[in-house]
Amino acid sequence: QVQLVESGGGLVQTGGSLRLSCAASGRTFGGYTLAWFRQASGKEREFLAGINWFGASTSYADSVKGRFTISRDNAKNTLYLQMNSLKPEDTAVYYCAAAALGGNFVPKFAGPYNNWGQGTQVTVSS
């Protein structure tokens, strides 16, 4: 198991930027495929972006492609999500997640991810 703690959420105006971080502890961080999800009030959890264990393969949801960038620093045991051009519809609780997967495959659904953080709130005002 790996323990995950998100940070960096907050209130931002439309068009602004935020960078979320997810600090990991426990087992070797580098062996995990990592992802960001979000869940808006009254909606299902949504995949946003994922990155494979060594960072060479990434995957994005269409809703954030070109605006959000996922990255990881295995030496610092930290996952990042740079969010630009934020919109009110980006308002949600953002979660990082980890799956003990190798290779280049990055799942775009929650099932394979069995380690989750507690979430951080992002609110985009209009």
Side-chain angles (χ1 to χ4, degrees):
Q1 292 287 336
V2 61
Q3 289 75 45
L4 305 172
V5 178
E6 303 94 339
S7 62
L11 175 64
V12 64
Q13 291 186 335
T14 296
S17 298
L18 281 175
R19 188 175 82 154
L20 304 183
S21 298
C22 174
S25 60
R27 299 189 65 178
T28 303
F29 182 74
Y32 286 80
T33 293
L34 304 171
W36 288 98
F37 288 75
R38 70 185 177 191
Q39 188 165 17
S41 180
K43 296 188 177 181
E44 294 186 353
R45 192 165 295 191
E46 173 191 15
F47 170 86
L48 299 177
I51 187 167
N52 77 326
W53 70 276
F54 56 93
S57 179
T58 58
S59 182
Y60 293 91
D62 289 343
S63 59
V64 303
K65 196 174 296 183
R67 298 190 299 125
F68 292 8
T69 302
I70 190 171
S71 62
R72 65 190 294 167
D73 186 335
N74 288 347
K76 295 182 178 179
N77 283 357
T78 305
L79 174 71
Y80 303 99
L81 184 68
Q82 178 66 43
M83 306 187 295
N84 299 327
S85 303
L86 284 163
K87 307 173 183 180
E89 52 264 43
D90 293 318
T91 295
V93 178
Y94 284 67
Y95 300 90
C96 63
L101 299 173
N104 293 325
F105 176 60
V106 179
K108 290 187 173 182
F109 48 98
Y113 299 93
N114 55 2
N115 298 272
W116 293 82
Q118 83 291 346
T120 186
Q121 176 71 46
V122 171
T123 303
V124 184
S125 64
S126 58

